[in-house]
């Protein structure tokens, strides 16, 4: 298969590129393909003839989307709609990503693909609009994958660290810390996600539509941080703090764990988040691991 990968420097993009695969993957940098420039991806699609376009690019700085809602819609909705149209015209499958933040957090069990969406802030609203735009524009060509709480090896370092790296760095400078216990999430390792994405693309029974792909299980950010420190035997006085999902005036969902029901039906299952975290720490922090 010819795969055009957008966002190769990101956490997920670099995990996809690192996968051993027989597919031909073309991963232009942002200077060559910018999802805000129709001309750039139409040209690359015409030259490379991809069977699948995998778009990992997004404007996903959540607080900044409150400040720049027009930009959030330009990148997360309009560009996704235009890309979906270009894929439909070229008879190419579009795989694009979305977020657990399309949900409102009223549930207490993992959200399924067809559960009611109710985003609470501009970020989630712009991502939901992007999902709807892709599916309305190219219903036979668009696959939307919702995921949650990503951490990965290479993209993380190029962006000054992901959640896991940041907690490990925090522990170097502080022996006490507070961490939110108000949000329940499904933290996901991008190497596991990358493998699942490729399995999904390759699956003969794949039909367009929305899929959830996250590591199994759920936890609060407090519990996730506890697990990081336990596995690395880092001694920090870690205290849970309940902010009721609020970041200033902005609301985050109190519960946004996802259930991978459709991928599971196709036999695609990601490991539990604890196993994924252990693997990530094994690779990146081998020298610090508790024996
Ligand atoms: N990170 C999370 O916790 C999380 C949670 C739920 C869903 N998701 C979604 O999962 C997907 C992958 O996330 P990630 O963490 O891998 O993202 P990431 O590390 O921020 O990487 C994003 C990639 O997209 C590129 N990009 C950004 N804007 C672009 C544009 N206008 N044109 C072309 N490329 C552009 C970036 O390039 P530069 O290096 O040049 O910036 C980077 O390579 C995204 O859709 C994200 O919203 C992420």
């Amino acid at each position: 298969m010819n795969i055009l990968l957008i966002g190769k420097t990101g956490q997920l993009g670099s995990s996809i590129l690192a996968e051993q695969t027989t597919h031909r993957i073309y991963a232009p940098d942002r200077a060559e393909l910018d999802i805000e420039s129709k001309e750039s991806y139409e040209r690359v699609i015409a030259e490379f003839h991809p069977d699948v376009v995998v778009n990992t690019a997004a404007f996903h700085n959540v607080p900044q989307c409150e400040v720049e809602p027009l930009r959030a819609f330009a990148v997360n909705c309009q560009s996704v709609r235009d890309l979906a149209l270009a894929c439909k015209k070229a008879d190419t499958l579009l795989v694009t990503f979305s977020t657990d933040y399309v949900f409102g957090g009223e549930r207490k069990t993992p959200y399924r693909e067809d559960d009611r969406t109710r985003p609470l802030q501009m970020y989630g609203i712009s991502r939901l609009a992007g999902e709807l735009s892709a599916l309305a524009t190219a219903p036979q060509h668009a696959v939307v994958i919702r995921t949650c709480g990503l951490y990965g090896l290479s993209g993380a370092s190029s962006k000054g660290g992901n959640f896991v790296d940041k907690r490990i760095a925090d522990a170097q400078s502080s022996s006490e810390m507070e961490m939110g216990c108000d949000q329940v999430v499904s933290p996901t390792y991008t190497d596991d996600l990358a493998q699942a994405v490729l399995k999904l693309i390759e699956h003969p029974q794949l039909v367009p539509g929305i899929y959830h792909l996250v590591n199994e299980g759920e936890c609060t950010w407090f519990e996730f941080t506890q697990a990081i420190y336990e596995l690395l035997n880092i001694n920090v006085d870690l205290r849970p703090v309940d902010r009721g999902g609020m970041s200033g005036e902005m609301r985050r969902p109190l519960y946004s764990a996802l259930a991978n029901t459709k991928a599971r039906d196709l036999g695609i299952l990601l490991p539990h988040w604890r196993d994924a975290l252990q693997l990530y720490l094994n690779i990146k922090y081998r020298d610090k691991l508790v024996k």
Side-chain angles (χ1 to χ4, degrees), residues 31-178:
E32 183 183 351
L33 193 164
D34 189 319
I35 61 160
E36 291 183 78
S37 158
K38 225 191 272 194
E39 183 277 327
S40 71
Y41 54 75
E42 282 178 352
R43 180 173 33 76
V44 175
I45 290 172
E47 281 167 10
F48 182 61
H49 298 294
D51 301 294
V52 185
V53 172
V54 178
N55 172 34
T56 70
F59 180 33
H60 61 149
N61 179 326
V62 180
Q64 200 54 32
C65 287
E66 294 295 301
V67 181
E68 299 182 79
L70 293 181
R71 182 159 161 64
F73 270 85
V75 179
N76 295 337
C77 175
Q78 189 179 337
S79 293
V80 173
R81 192 270 316 258
D82 293 347
L83 188 58
L85 186 59
C87 287
K88 183 170 123 180
K89 282 184 187 160
D91 196 18
T92 296
L93 186 72
L94 171 65
V95 175
T96 193
F97 291 82
S98 185
T99 171
D100 53 316
Y101 274 34
V102 296
F103 292 114
E106 58 282 328
R107 283 181 69 98
K108 292 285 171 269
T109 54
Y111 281 99
R112 299 162 57 98
E113 291 81 354
D114 55 0
D115 276 329
R116 187 175 72 99
T117 50
R118 188 172 66 90
L120 300 176
Q121 65 312 100
M122 291 315 299
Y123 171 63
I125 295 168
S126 69
R127 296 312 297 261
L128 178 60
E131 291 184 359
L132 295 170
S133 301
L135 295 169
T137 304
Q140 304 306 319
H141 292 84
V143 170
V144 173
I145 298 176
R146 294 188 187 130
T147 188
C148 173
L150 297 187
Y151 60 97
L153 288 169
S154 1
S157 55
S158 72
K159 289 180 191 303
N162 54 45
F163 183 89
V164 180
D165 298 339
K166 282 184 183 150
R167 295 302 73 81
I168 294 168
D170 286 349
Q172 317 271 319
S173 56
S174 179
S175 58
E176 3 183 288
M177 219 175 294
E178 289 186 335

Side-chain angles (χ1 to χ4, degrees), residues 262-277:
K262 286 170 66 180
R264 185 190 294 263
D265 286 348
L266 298 176
I268 300 168
L269 195 60
L270 283 77
H272 191 275
W273 67 261
R274 272 187 192 277
D275 298 327
L277 176 63

Side-chain angles (χ1 to χ4, degrees), residues 10-29:
Q11 301 194 88
L12 176 59
S14 49
S15 286
I16 292 174
L17 261 191
E19 278 300 307
Q20 299 283 340
T21 163
T22 53
H23 304 304
R24 215 171 127 228
I25 301 185
Y26 182 55
D29 59 26

